[in-house]
Amino acid sequence: MKILVLGSGGREHALLWALKRTSSAPLQLYCAPGNGGISQLASCVPVSAADHSSLIEFARMNDIDLTVVGPEGPLAAGIVDQFEHAGLKIVGPSAAASRLESSKSFAKDFMRRHKIPTAAYAIANSAAEALDLLRGGKFGAPQSPVVVKADGLAAGKGVIVATSPAEAEVAVKELSSGTVVAAEASRQLLIEEALQGREVSLLLFADGRDYALMPAARDHKRVGDNDTGPNTGGMGAITDASVLEAETLNAIVRDVVEPTLEGAGQEGFPFRGILFIGLMLTANGPKVLEYNVRFGDPETQAILIRLKADLCQLFQAIVEGDLGKMSVEWSDQSSACVVLASKGYPGPYETGFRLSGLDRIVTGDDLQVFHAGTSRAETGDYLTTGGRVLGITAAGATLPQALGSCYRAIKKVTWEGMQYRRDIGQFNEKLKANNV
Ligand code: AMP
Ligand code: GLY
């Protein structure tokens, strides 16, 4: 089997590692464009994941059996439709189904049509309309928090949780200015009721008919310890039985997962690929914050280290519509991924620093170093190329054991300006202690 993975982050490194580790058949792995760490596992192809026609040509010329898409951009731009049109097999949703992520207003109206619990919202077609909505007093008392979102894809920069409608007015101006988020993405703005509670990421495999859940994960979005500072792509993730109790999971399956998949089918875009549901567990039950139509980063690193099923077969089953015949097994462990990032991230940062100590980490099935932003020099040294650089990922019998493995490994590696959160998973322990 020849498999091509599209993307260049820690998520894609984890996908390639899990493909290799779980496959019963020999695999030849390719990644476009990949990164320094990925180059040790797969042949890196210097083509951007946005260059669909070159990717189709590469897949044809090299007899690629299956392509797996990491990031949302190519999905929203219709890469799956184009590969299928060219007779090539690819894992991911169509452009029509990808609107669940690429248009927040589409996703919210979809949830309203299918009675899927989510925050109250209104859609504005201009900044002026958004300001009118805020001044209309529909979103709570003058001091209550309110959320402003750009409709389109914004690489995590399109959501501002404002502490009051007055602050939200500033957010509307910022999002619609075309500086933080592309004008294209902020043509429509959403104003939402701010929800309170614990956040959970629930991912699943779907083939348009059947689905299989992955272990629920918790992301750590803020850059600083104790959830302080700006939002990032994610500074760490955990999986653990305490992330989502069985009873709440059952309610989410009944009220969110099944209505979403059934709704997509009814509306003519059966969902085939990976669906990521971001939820807030509120006092009034679980509510959807957002859909993503792809694997999460860094959730995927923490999730896939526990996968026991054959990932290649799973991907084939998604394409063939055979998921119902597969049993998807996971190890009975907890897991954690701690992201090591460049100084300054998520703001501007410098790159090109040499990593040291990586060879001192003894990796195995329960401890992996996934590369998110590195290149490999001719000397064999790794250099930083991105904001998020490495994701140290471990599984263990308990969450503290998995975290212990991550943090012991982190002590061995460094570069100039390396930053990371010291409290990944701690918040979870605190919540548990306080019975939240
Ligand atoms: P999204 O990209 O829509 O998931 O938003 C990014 C982050 O913003 C989420 O992970 C939440 O932490 C926060 N957020 C989004 N929507 C809401 C909401 N309605 N209430 C509170 N927080 C929210
Ligand atoms: N970690 C959140 C995301 O992948 O969107």
PDB file of all heavy atoms in Angstrom, residues 126-153:
ATOM      1  N   SER A 126     -22.711  42.493   8.269  1.00  0.00           N
ATOM      2  CA  SER A 126     -21.742  43.585   8.204  1.00  0.00           C
ATOM      3  C   SER A 126     -21.363  43.948   9.632  1.00  0.00           C
ATOM      4  O   SER A 126     -22.048  43.549  10.587  1.00  0.00           O
ATOM      5  CB  SER A 126     -22.369  44.816   7.537  1.00  0.00           C
ATOM      6  OG  SER A 126     -23.427  45.287   8.359  1.00  0.00           O
ATOM      7  N   ALA A 127     -20.286  44.721   9.767  1.00  0.00           N
ATOM      8  CA  ALA A 127     -19.864  45.156  11.099  1.00  0.00           C
ATOM      9  C   ALA A 127     -20.977  45.998  11.735  1.00  0.00           C
ATOM     10  O   ALA A 127     -21.266  45.868  12.924  1.00  0.00           O
ATOM     11  CB  ALA A 127     -18.564  45.956  10.993  1.00  0.00           C
ATOM     12  N   ALA A 128     -21.628  46.837  10.911  1.00  0.00           N
ATOM     13  CA  ALA A 128     -22.685  47.707  11.446  1.00  0.00           C
ATOM     14  C   ALA A 128     -23.826  46.863  12.022  1.00  0.00           C
ATOM     15  O   ALA A 128     -24.341  47.152  13.111  1.00  0.00           O
ATOM     16  CB  ALA A 128     -23.198  48.640  10.338  1.00  0.00           C
ATOM     17  N   GLU A 129     -24.197  45.810  11.308  1.00  0.00           N
ATOM     18  CA  GLU A 129     -25.259  44.932  11.802  1.00  0.00           C
ATOM     19  C   GLU A 129     -24.847  44.247  13.103  1.00  0.00           C
ATOM     20  O   GLU A 129     -25.657  44.081  14.022  1.00  0.00           O
ATOM     21  CB  GLU A 129     -25.533  43.835  10.749  1.00  0.00           C
ATOM     22  CG  GLU A 129     -26.865  43.967  10.063  1.00  0.00           C
ATOM     23  CD  GLU A 129     -27.085  42.815   9.084  1.00  0.00           C
ATOM     24  OE1 GLU A 129     -27.323  41.664   9.520  1.00  0.00           O
ATOM     25  OE2 GLU A 129     -27.002  43.087   7.874  1.00  0.00           O
ATOM     26  N   ALA A 130     -23.575  43.849  13.173  1.00  0.00           N
ATOM     27  CA  ALA A 130     -23.078  43.194  14.392  1.00  0.00           C
ATOM     28  C   ALA A 130     -23.162  44.158  15.571  1.00  0.00           C
ATOM     29  O   ALA A 130     -23.586  43.784  16.675  1.00  0.00           O
ATOM     30  CB  ALA A 130     -21.646  42.716  14.184  1.00  0.00           C
ATOM     31  N   LEU A 131     -22.796  45.419  15.340  1.00  0.00           N
ATOM     32  CA  LEU A 131     -22.847  46.416  16.424  1.00  0.00           C
ATOM     33  C   LEU A 131     -24.290  46.646  16.861  1.00  0.00           C
ATOM     34  O   LEU A 131     -24.587  46.753  18.051  1.00  0.00           O
ATOM     35  CB  LEU A 131     -22.189  47.726  15.975  1.00  0.00           C
ATOM     36  CG  LEU A 131     -20.675  47.621  15.710  1.00  0.00           C
ATOM     37  CD1 LEU A 131     -20.128  48.940  15.162  1.00  0.00           C
ATOM     38  CD2 LEU A 131     -19.911  47.223  16.976  1.00  0.00           C
ATOM     39  N   ASP A 132     -25.214  46.674  15.896  1.00  0.00           N
ATOM     40  CA  ASP A 132     -26.637  46.821  16.227  1.00  0.00           C
ATOM     41  C   ASP A 132     -27.103  45.676  17.120  1.00  0.00           C
ATOM     42  O   ASP A 132     -27.841  45.878  18.084  1.00  0.00           O
ATOM     43  CB  ASP A 132     -27.496  46.816  14.954  1.00  0.00           C
ATOM     44  CG  ASP A 132     -27.478  48.177  14.265  1.00  0.00           C
ATOM     45  OD1 ASP A 132     -26.982  49.129  14.901  1.00  0.00           O
ATOM     46  OD2 ASP A 132     -27.932  48.260  13.108  1.00  0.00           O
ATOM     47  N   LEU A 133     -26.682  44.460  16.761  1.00  0.00           N
ATOM     48  CA  LEU A 133     -27.078  43.293  17.550  1.00  0.00           C
ATOM     49  C   LEU A 133     -26.579  43.415  18.988  1.00  0.00           C
ATOM     50  O   LEU A 133     -27.300  43.152  19.942  1.00  0.00           O
ATOM     51  CB  LEU A 133     -26.492  42.013  16.933  1.00  0.00           C
ATOM     52  CG  LEU A 133     -27.170  41.495  15.669  1.00  0.00           C
ATOM     53  CD1 LEU A 133     -26.330  40.409  15.006  1.00  0.00           C
ATOM     54  CD2 LEU A 133     -28.553  40.933  16.020  1.00  0.00           C
ATOM     55  N   LEU A 134     -25.328  43.856  19.121  1.00  0.00           N
ATOM     56  CA  LEU A 134     -24.754  43.981  20.467  1.00  0.00           C
ATOM     57  C   LEU A 134     -25.483  45.050  21.264  1.00  0.00           C
ATOM     58  O   LEU A 134     -25.719  44.904  22.458  1.00  0.00           O
ATOM     59  CB  LEU A 134     -23.260  44.320  20.373  1.00  0.00           C
ATOM     60  CG  LEU A 134     -22.384  43.148  19.920  1.00  0.00           C
ATOM     61  CD1 LEU A 134     -20.990  43.638  19.551  1.00  0.00           C
ATOM     62  CD2 LEU A 134     -22.303  42.096  21.020  1.00  0.00           C
ATOM     63  N   ARG A 135     -25.826  46.144  20.565  1.00  0.00           N
ATOM     64  CA  ARG A 135     -26.490  47.254  21.272  1.00  0.00           C
ATOM     65  C   ARG A 135     -27.956  46.945  21.539  1.00  0.00           C
ATOM     66  O   ARG A 135     -28.591  47.586  22.362  1.00  0.00           O
ATOM     67  CB  ARG A 135     -26.342  48.555  20.473  1.00  0.00           C
ATOM     68  CG  ARG A 135     -24.898  49.030  20.531  1.00  0.00           C
ATOM     69  CD  ARG A 135     -24.590  50.111  19.516  1.00  0.00           C
ATOM     70  NE  ARG A 135     -23.150  50.344  19.466  1.00  0.00           N
ATOM     71  CZ  ARG A 135     -22.539  50.969  18.475  1.00  0.00           C
ATOM     72  NH1 ARG A 135     -23.222  51.422  17.444  1.00  0.00           N
ATOM     73  NH2 ARG A 135     -21.238  51.138  18.504  1.00  0.00           N
ATOM     74  N   GLY A 136     -28.484  45.959  20.836  1.00  0.00           N
ATOM     75  CA  GLY A 136     -29.893  45.591  21.019  1.00  0.00           C
ATOM     76  C   GLY A 136     -30.167  44.907  22.343  1.00  0.00           C
ATOM     77  O   GLY A 136     -31.315  44.641  22.682  1.00  0.00           O
ATOM     78  N   GLY A 137     -29.113  44.556  23.079  1.00  0.00           N
ATOM     79  CA  GLY A 137     -29.281  43.974  24.411  1.00  0.00           C
ATOM     80  C   GLY A 137     -29.774  42.535  24.400  1.00  0.00           C
ATOM     81  O   GLY A 137     -30.223  42.018  25.414  1.00  0.00           O
ATOM     82  N   LYS A 138     -29.675  41.868  23.232  1.00  0.00           N
ATOM     83  CA  LYS A 138     -30.178  40.504  23.127  1.00  0.00           C
ATOM     84  C   LYS A 138     -29.211  39.494  23.766  1.00  0.00           C
ATOM     85  O   LYS A 138     -29.586  38.361  24.039  1.00  0.00           O
ATOM     86  CB  LYS A 138     -30.340  40.147  21.641  1.00  0.00           C
ATOM     87  CG  LYS A 138     -31.680  39.526  21.304  1.00  0.00           C
ATOM     88  CD  LYS A 138     -31.772  39.217  19.826  1.00  0.00           C
ATOM     89  CE  LYS A 138     -31.848  37.710  19.619  1.00  0.00           C
ATOM     90  NZ  LYS A 138     -31.510  37.284  18.295  1.00  0.00           N
ATOM     91  N   PHE A 139     -27.975  39.928  23.955  1.00  0.00           N
ATOM     92  CA  PHE A 139     -26.979  38.980  24.433  1.00  0.00           C
ATOM     93  C   PHE A 139     -26.587  39.201  25.881  1.00  0.00           C
ATOM     94  O   PHE A 139     -25.427  39.208  26.251  1.00  0.00           O
ATOM     95  CB  PHE A 139     -25.756  38.981  23.495  1.00  0.00           C
ATOM     96  CG  PHE A 139     -26.110  38.324  22.197  1.00  0.00           C
ATOM     97  CD1 PHE A 139     -26.645  39.056  21.160  1.00  0.00           C
ATOM     98  CD2 PHE A 139     -25.991  36.956  22.059  1.00  0.00           C
ATOM     99  CE1 PHE A 139     -27.040  38.436  19.990  1.00  0.00           C
ATOM    100  CE2 PHE A 139     -26.374  36.325  20.896  1.00  0.00           C
ATOM    101  CZ  PHE A 139     -26.910  37.077  19.859  1.00  0.00           C
ATOM    102  N   GLY A 140     -27.598  39.397  26.707  1.00  0.00           N
ATOM    103  CA  GLY A 140     -27.356  39.448  28.143  1.00  0.00           C
ATOM    104  C   GLY A 140     -27.189  40.852  28.678  1.00  0.00           C
ATOM    105  O   GLY A 140     -27.284  41.849  27.955  1.00  0.00           O
ATOM    106  N   ALA A 141     -26.958  40.919  29.980  1.00  0.00           N
ATOM    107  CA  ALA A 141     -26.820  42.185  30.698  1.00  0.00           C
ATOM    108  C   ALA A 141     -25.569  42.913  30.209  1.00  0.00           C
ATOM    109  O   ALA A 141     -24.691  42.307  29.611  1.00  0.00           O
ATOM    110  CB  ALA A 141     -26.709  41.878  32.185  1.00  0.00           C
ATOM    111  N   PRO A 142     -25.493  44.238  30.479  1.00  0.00           N
ATOM    112  CA  PRO A 142     -24.358  45.013  29.969  1.00  0.00           C
ATOM    113  C   PRO A 142     -22.999  44.423  30.369  1.00  0.00           C
ATOM    114  O   PRO A 142     -22.017  44.615  29.673  1.00  0.00           O
ATOM    115  CB  PRO A 142     -24.562  46.387  30.595  1.00  0.00           C
ATOM    116  CG  PRO A 142     -26.009  46.453  30.909  1.00  0.00           C
ATOM    117  CD  PRO A 142     -26.485  45.063  31.143  1.00  0.00           C
ATOM    118  N   GLN A 143     -22.929  43.722  31.478  1.00  0.00           N
ATOM    119  CA  GLN A 143     -21.626  43.211  31.911  1.00  0.00           C
ATOM    120  C   GLN A 143     -21.406  41.732  31.571  1.00  0.00           C
ATOM    121  O   GLN A 143     -20.416  41.152  31.981  1.00  0.00           O
ATOM    122  CB  GLN A 143     -21.452  43.413  33.426  1.00  0.00           C
ATOM    123  CG  GLN A 143     -21.226  44.872  33.811  1.00  0.00           C
ATOM    124  CD  GLN A 143     -20.257  45.589  32.868  1.00  0.00           C
ATOM    125  OE1 GLN A 143     -19.192  45.072  32.526  1.00  0.00           O
ATOM    126  NE2 GLN A 143     -20.627  46.789  32.423  1.00  0.00           N
ATOM    127  N   SER A 144     -22.346  41.118  30.838  1.00  0.00           N
ATOM    128  CA  SER A 144     -22.166  39.680  30.615  1.00  0.00           C
ATOM    129  C   SER A 144     -21.247  39.420  29.410  1.00  0.00           C
ATOM    130  O   SER A 144     -21.221  40.204  28.461  1.00  0.00           O
ATOM    131  CB  SER A 144     -23.517  38.997  30.431  1.00  0.00           C
ATOM    132  OG  SER A 144     -24.110  39.495  29.272  1.00  0.00           O
ATOM    133  N   PRO A 145     -20.488  38.330  29.472  1.00  0.00           N
ATOM    134  CA  PRO A 145     -19.590  38.036  28.361  1.00  0.00           C
ATOM    135  C   PRO A 145     -20.338  37.651  27.098  1.00  0.00           C
ATOM    136  O   PRO A 145     -21.476  37.169  27.158  1.00  0.00           O
ATOM    137  CB  PRO A 145     -18.759  36.850  28.878  1.00  0.00           C
ATOM    138  CG  PRO A 145     -19.463  36.314  30.056  1.00  0.00           C
ATOM    139  CD  PRO A 145     -20.395  37.362  30.566  1.00  0.00           C
ATOM    140  N   VAL A 146     -19.703  37.879  25.966  1.00  0.00           N
ATOM    141  CA  VAL A 146     -20.329  37.578  24.679  1.00  0.00           C
ATOM    142  C   VAL A 146     -19.198  37.192  23.712  1.00  0.00           C
ATOM    143  O   VAL A 146     -18.063  37.627  23.881  1.00  0.00           O
ATOM    144  CB  VAL A 146     -21.189  38.785  24.218  1.00  0.00           C
ATOM    145  CG1 VAL A 146     -20.364  40.023  24.089  1.00  0.00           C
ATOM    146  CG2 VAL A 146     -21.919  38.512  22.934  1.00  0.00           C
ATOM    147  N   VAL A 147     -19.517  36.339  22.747  1.00  0.00           N
ATOM    148  CA  VAL A 147     -18.475  35.822  21.852  1.00  0.00           C
ATOM    149  C   VAL A 147     -18.707  36.358  20.447  1.00  0.00           C
ATOM    150  O   VAL A 147     -19.839  36.358  19.956  1.00  0.00           O
ATOM    151  CB  VAL A 147     -18.492  34.279  21.844  1.00  0.00           C
ATOM    152  CG1 VAL A 147     -17.330  33.722  21.025  1.00  0.00           C
ATOM    153  CG2 VAL A 147     -18.430  33.741  23.273  1.00  0.00           C
ATOM    154  N   VAL A 148     -17.640  36.840  19.819  1.00  0.00           N
ATOM    155  CA  VAL A 148     -17.720  37.330  18.448  1.00  0.00           C
ATOM    156  C   VAL A 148     -16.861  36.414  17.576  1.00  0.00           C
ATOM    157  O   VAL A 148     -15.715  36.113  17.922  1.00  0.00           O
ATOM    158  CB  VAL A 148     -17.205  38.789  18.338  1.00  0.00           C
ATOM    159  CG1 VAL A 148     -17.422  39.318  16.929  1.00  0.00           C
ATOM    160  CG2 VAL A 148     -17.906  39.684  19.346  1.00  0.00           C
ATOM    161  N   LYS A 149     -17.425  35.948  16.454  1.00  0.00           N
ATOM    162  CA  LYS A 149     -16.700  35.018  15.589  1.00  0.00           C
ATOM    163  C   LYS A 149     -16.764  35.454  14.137  1.00  0.00           C
ATOM    164  O   LYS A 149     -17.820  35.907  13.678  1.00  0.00           O
ATOM    165  CB  LYS A 149     -17.324  33.615  15.668  1.00  0.00           C
ATOM    166  CG  LYS A 149     -17.272  32.981  17.043  1.00  0.00           C
ATOM    167  CD  LYS A 149     -17.810  31.552  17.017  1.00  0.00           C
ATOM    168  CE  LYS A 149     -17.674  30.940  18.410  1.00  0.00           C
ATOM    169  NZ  LYS A 149     -18.123  29.531  18.444  1.00  0.00           N
ATOM    170  N   ALA A 150     -15.655  35.266  13.446  1.00  0.00           N
ATOM    171  CA  ALA A 150     -15.664  35.422  11.992  1.00  0.00           C
ATOM    172  C   ALA A 150     -16.263  34.155  11.408  1.00  0.00           C
ATOM    173  O   ALA A 150     -16.035  33.062  11.925  1.00  0.00           O
ATOM    174  CB  ALA A 150     -14.241  35.626  11.485  1.00  0.00           C
ATOM    175  N   ASP A 151     -17.010  34.294  10.322  1.00  0.00           N
ATOM    176  CA  ASP A 151     -17.711  33.141   9.750  1.00  0.00           C
ATOM    177  C   ASP A 151     -16.752  32.095   9.161  1.00  0.00           C
ATOM    178  O   ASP A 151     -16.940  30.902   9.319  1.00  0.00           O
ATOM    179  CB  ASP A 151     -18.662  33.641   8.646  1.00  0.00           C
ATOM    180  CG  ASP A 151     -19.376  32.491   7.960  1.00  0.00           C
ATOM    181  OD1 ASP A 151     -20.055  31.730   8.670  1.00  0.00           O
ATOM    182  OD2 ASP A 151     -19.244  32.348   6.732  1.00  0.00           O
ATOM    183  N   GLY A 152     -15.706  32.562   8.486  1.00  0.00           N
ATOM    184  CA  GLY A 152     -14.875  31.640   7.691  1.00  0.00           C
ATOM    185  C   GLY A 152     -13.653  31.117   8.418  1.00  0.00           C
ATOM    186  O   GLY A 152     -13.450  31.382   9.602  1.00  0.00           O
ATOM    187  N   LEU A 153     -12.816  30.368   7.688  1.00  0.00           N
ATOM    188  CA  LEU A 153     -11.604  29.780   8.278  1.00  0.00           C
ATOM    189  C   LEU A 153     -10.627  30.885   8.652  1.00  0.00           C
ATOM    190  O   LEU A 153     -10.376  31.794   7.867  1.00  0.00           O
ATOM    191  CB  LEU A 153     -10.937  28.833   7.272  1.00  0.00           C
ATOM    192  CG  LEU A 153     -11.708  27.561   6.919  1.00  0.00           C
ATOM    193  CD1 LEU A 153     -10.899  26.731   5.927  1.00  0.00           C
ATOM    194  CD2 LEU A 153     -12.044  26.758   8.159  1.00  0.00           C
TER     195      LEU A 153
END
